[in-house]
Amino acid sequence: MATTVNTVTGPISSDELGKTLMHEHFAFGYPGFQGDTLGPYDPANIVATGIEVAERAKAHGVKTIVDATPNECGRDPELLREISEKAEIQIICSTGYYYEAEGAPAYFKFRQGLGSAPAEVEELMMTEITDGIGDTGIKAGVIKLASSKDEITDYEEMFFAAGAKAQQETGVPIITHTQEGTMGPEQAEFLVSAGADPNRTMIGHMDGNTDVSYHIATLDHGVNIAFDRFGIQGIVGAPMDEMRHTCLIGLLGMGYGDRIALSHDTVNVWLGRPLVFPDAIAQLLEGWHITHLFEDVVPVLKRAGVTNERIDGIFVENPRRIFGS
Ligand SMILES: [Zn+2]
């Protein structure tokens, strides 16, 4: 059944999503970037880069991009709206905080110590989904949750509990960050037992782990999973794409194709000073860009016998179902 989806330019029907990339970032900054005055905030660059990225994705038929940037990592819904309007692409923004080690936990941890944070986090998510983000009038269209390597900390669990409740109230999908291929099954179990709808839950960065049993243990909870870091090799604990291909083709062959989403987790503008990757890493990251899936991964799937119909289903039907059923 079609439902209403919040994009940064207003509501659409889930039937209008079309080909969708479920986890990208037009701009992202590790908290702390605000203090580096040698890398000043440059909205014009974010918009210009965003338009160029959107145009490249559109050339491959992409109609919608989910921007998974957490609140404290430089999320700027008004810039996303400007990119969306100028590039004529649908963009969905997130509500939620990043995982403890790389987010900005001090603010809500202090309030957690005082006992007020769980209700405040839930109120924040609910308000951003139903009323809008600050005074922008832009509503969040997905709930972003994140956990650490090998654990869901008390701090993170507070967001998972709030996210499950906010989803029950609003129906908005949950998308997650798992760290270095850990906690996929645990995230799924926690969310489903906290009342989240598995059909509207997408456990992310599952391609940080290429052991099929890890994927099946997660899928057993009825959730969707995402291979959403194609092109990230050799940093943040990521495996090589070849290993991702092997695992993904295996899962598709086993019949899980209607519960898998694909994306890149691209960061198109790093907030703060520009990043300089050492040559060896830059070479490994050559495929980390917004059209990598269409240019380099889909051909591999086709060679392995994955049908066009299945591939279209992954990019069109699966996102529609995650937002709409
Ligand atoms: Zn991300």
Side-chain angles (χ1 to χ4, degrees):
M1 202 180 71
T3 53
T4 300
V5 177
N6 293 334
T7 75
V8 295
T9 55
I12 62 167
S13 162
S14 54
D15 287 340
E16 296 174 79
L17 287 166
K19 196 170 188 176
T20 300
L21 290 170
M22 287 293 290
H23 188 128
E24 308 292 343
H25 302 271
F26 283 96
F28 177 93
Y30 286 114
F33 76 85
Q34 302 94 334
D36 186 358
T37 51
L38 300 186
Y41 194 58
D42 185 355
N45 178 45
I46 294 169
V47 170
T49 306
I51 292 170
E52 185 205 318
V53 165
E55 296 292 352
R56 288 174 55 208
K58 278 171 64 183
H60 288 275
V62 172
K63 283 210 145 79
T64 305
I65 295 179
V66 177
D67 187 290
T69 307
N71 294 24
E72 85 275 40
C73 297
R75 182 194 60 169
D76 190 330
E78 287 174 307
L79 290 191
L80 296 177
R81 178 168 60 193
E82 192 175 340
I83 294 166
S84 172
E85 285 172 350
K86 289 185 171 161
E88 296 182 342
I89 194 164
Q90 295 169 154
I91 299 174
I92 294 163
C93 77
S94 309
T95 181
Y97 270 56
Y98 206 26
Y99 83 100
E100 187 165 345
E102 294 193 335
Y107 178 78
F108 275 119
K109 276 187 92 162
F110 177 60
R111 305 176 82 91
Q112 198 176 13
L114 304 176
S116 62
E120 290 168 348
V121 168
E122 193 187 330
E123 184 185 14
L124 173 65
M125 289 177 173
M126 284 297 299
T127 303
E128 292 199 336
I129 293 165
T130 57
D131 294 341
I133 298 168
D135 58 6
T136 64
I138 297 167
K139 296 175 183 176
V142 295
I143 297 161
K144 169 77 182 282
L145 303 172
S147 67
S148 296
K149 185 180 183 185
D150 295 322
E151 66 170 330
I152 302 173
T153 67
D154 287 347
Y155 167 78
E156 291 155 358
E157 199 173 285
M158 177 172 69
F159 288 91
F160 275 72
K165 277 192 191 167
Q167 192 204 55
Q168 281 179 292
E169 298 282 326
T170 63
V172 161
I174 289 170
I175 66 170
T176 78
H177 165 104
T178 54
Q179 183 65 19
E180 294 175 60
T182 70
M183 308 310 284
E186 290 83 358
Q187 283 192 358
E189 183 176 8
F190 183 94
L191 287 169
V192 173
S193 61
D197 176 355
N199 293 317
R200 289 170 180 256
T201 299
M202 183 185 94
I203 306 298
H205 305 346
M206 287 293 291
D207 53 345
N209 187 327
T210 53
D211 177 350
V212 173
S213 63
Y214 173 79
H215 292 263
I216 292 173
T218 307
L219 287 159
D220 277 349
H221 295 280
V223 296
N224 303 277
I225 62 169
F227 280 60
D228 51 9
R229 284 189 144 178
F230 267 105
I232 304 186
Q233 307 184 119
I235 58 166
V236 293
M240 303 297 281
D241 270 6
E242 269 186 319
M243 302 301 126
R244 293 185 170 107
H245 296 151
T246 309
C247 185
L248 174 60
I249 289 163
L251 289 166
L252 294 175
M254 292 172 71
Y256 288 112
D258 58 353
R259 285 204 275 143
I260 297 175
L262 303 180
S263 210
H264 311 91
D265 199 10
T266 54
V267 173
N268 292 290
V269 175
W270 286 96
L271 302 175
R273 265 182 272 191
L275 283 184
V276 182
F277 289 108
D279 284 349
I281 292 180
Q283 210 168 358
L284 283 169
L285 294 177
E286 268 173 4
W288 190 28
H289 58 80
I290 203 73
T291 58
H292 175 52
L293 279 166
F294 312 115
E295 288 164 3
D296 305 314
V297 178
V298 165
V300 175
L301 299 180
K302 286 185 178 174
R303 276 203 298 280
V306 181
T307 62
N308 286 333
E309 192 184 7
R310 169 50 63 208
I311 291 165
D312 287 348
I314 287 172
F315 286 114
V316 179
E317 294 307 314
N318 294 359
R320 187 182 59 73
R321 260 200 307 273
I322 291 169
F323 278 95
S325 64

